Amino acid sequence: MYEKAKEEILAQKPKMAICYDFDKTLSPDDMQSFTLIPSLGMSKEEFWPESNKLAKENLMDNNLAWMYQLIVKSKACRKSISRDYFKQIGQDVPLYKGVDTWFDRVNRYGEQKGVEVQHYIISSGLKEIIEGSSIAKHFKRIYASSYLYSADGVVEWPAQAVNYTNKTQFIFRIAKGKFEEYDESVNNSMPEDSLYIPYENIVYIGDSATDIPCMRLVKSKGGYSIGVFDPEKNQRQKVYQLFNDGRINFYAPADYSRNATLFKYIKSVIDNISTNERIKTEQKILRLPAETYKMYTSMQSLIDIAPQNLSKKERQKLEQGMEEIKVMIEGNVD
């Protein structure tokens, strides 16, 4: 009688999520620095200190400060910035070695191991620039800062500012399958076996202190956090500190090519998730007759404590129900 239930269990393909920061994780610098800031007649060395000063003097969130600063500077230059412009410059954002082929390679390896791999961006950068990049098509969702636009597609006001603390909400959204930013049901409790993606099947890849809350959250819930650093600069202080503080499981150069250390680590993680999911699948199958036995013993206890004034017919009905359940149990349980 368990065959259909077994088939349904075996047909459920396990899922995992790899979540990425973008700036200095997939790309070697802040995405605004390549084209956007220079187009406003400033260098990044001028723009960021000015933006940070604005935030400090007005007790602003740093992300809201740079988003506001872009609007002010564009108006001063009499240069409107639009959604289409952001997507256009997104095409020019450079990526680390191997990023362009990384996603297909990881997906194929996951497929070989029976795991569906999904990719997500969780970034403080600009969503519209990421959407214009060559790799945007690989992400199930892109969570990043974004603007409110006029009917003509011109920037009017910040709509979403993603900072290092509120990044963590997106880990919960991914785990629970509550993907829309406005969906407050993400705060509702959800049983582990009802999660869209189990926390232990989530990987977070980031480069700096702004990623710490996500790294810590994912690692604390049994998932995997990986710190990356620029292969050319080879500055490792951050990843050494993150590793010593127990924030990350691995660290590696931000080299996403086939023979690089990072791909080796991801394959090991997929191997581990694949093994754990096979174990969980076997446990689900074993639970079928075990739960039936539990039902049988519970009914037996009910009969034992049933009031003596039960009619003979009522008692027979209970005993008959118990025997019907007993027949469904595999093996001898007497």
Side-chain angles (χ1 to χ4, degrees), residues 1 17 19 51 64 79 155 157 166-167 185 195 198 203 246 257 261 297 303 306:
M1 65 159 287
C19 306
S51 172
L64 283 172
K79 177 184 177 68
V155 163
W157 200 253
N166 68 20
K167 271 186 173 186
S185 68
L195 291 172
V203 181
S257 54
T261 302
T297 55
I303 292 175

Side-chain angles (χ1 to χ4, degrees), residues 87-129:
K87 290 188 176 182
Q88 178 187 334
I89 63 176
Q91 299 172 23
D92 301 324
V93 173
L95 302 168
Y96 278 123
K97 180 182 178 182
V99 169
D100 55 340
T101 60
W102 164 268
F103 305 98
D104 288 334
R105 275 187 283 113
V106 171
N107 292 348
R108 283 196 299 271
Y109 191 79
E111 189 70 30
Q112 292 171 17
K113 297 296 180 175
V115 178
E116 177 189 337
V117 184
Q118 297 180 1
H119 304 273
Y120 298 83
I121 287 287
I122 305 177
S123 169
S124 295
L126 202 56
K127 181 178 182 179
E128 291 82 356
I129 293 180

Side-chain angles (χ1 to χ4, degrees), residues 49-152:
E50 189 173 317
S51 172
N52 292 336
K53 182 182 178 184
L54 178 69
K56 185 175 181 179
E57 290 178 348
N58 294 278
L59 304 179
M60 292 176 71
D61 176 90
N62 281 327
N63 287 69
L64 283 172
W66 69 253
M67 295 178 78
Y68 172 78
Q69 193 81 329
L70 284 179
I71 296 174
V72 171
K73 295 298 181 182
S74 67
K75 287 180 178 178
C77 295
R78 301 184 65 82
K79 177 184 177 68
S80 64
I81 47 179
S82 65
R83 186 195 302 271
D84 289 340
Y85 175 66
F86 286 142
K87 290 188 176 182
Q88 178 187 334
I89 63 176
Q91 299 172 23
D92 301 324
V93 173
L95 302 168
Y96 278 123
K97 180 182 178 182
V99 169
D100 55 340
T101 60
W102 164 268
F103 305 98
D104 288 334
R105 275 187 283 113
V106 171
N107 292 348
R108 283 196 299 271
Y109 191 79
E111 189 70 30
Q112 292 171 17
K113 297 296 180 175
V115 178
E116 177 189 337
V117 184
Q118 297 180 1
H119 304 273
Y120 298 83
I121 287 287
I122 305 177
S123 169
S124 295
L126 202 56
K127 181 178 182 179
E128 291 82 356
I129 293 180
I130 300 171
E131 288 175 337
S133 70
S134 61
I135 58 173
K137 61 187 177 183
H138 296 291
F139 301 110
K140 183 174 176 67
R141 297 286 300 211
I142 296 174
Y143 293 115
S145 301
S146 61
Y147 282 104
L148 171 69
Y149 295 89
S150 69
D152 297 325

Side-chain angles (χ1 to χ4, degrees), residues 11-26:
Q12 295 171 0
K13 190 173 186 178
K15 294 187 286 288
M16 66 172 287
I18 305 180
C19 306
Y20 310 81
D21 180 36
F22 193 91
D23 296 333
K24 301 175 185 175
T25 295
L26 295 174

Side-chain angles (χ1 to χ4, degrees), residues 283-300:
Q283 289 174 332
K284 287 178 183 178
I285 291 172
L286 291 172
R287 193 173 292 122
L288 294 171
E291 289 290 340
T292 308
Y293 173 71
K294 182 179 179 180
M295 190 186 305
Y296 169 73
T297 55
S298 296
M299 184 166 281
Q300 192 171 44

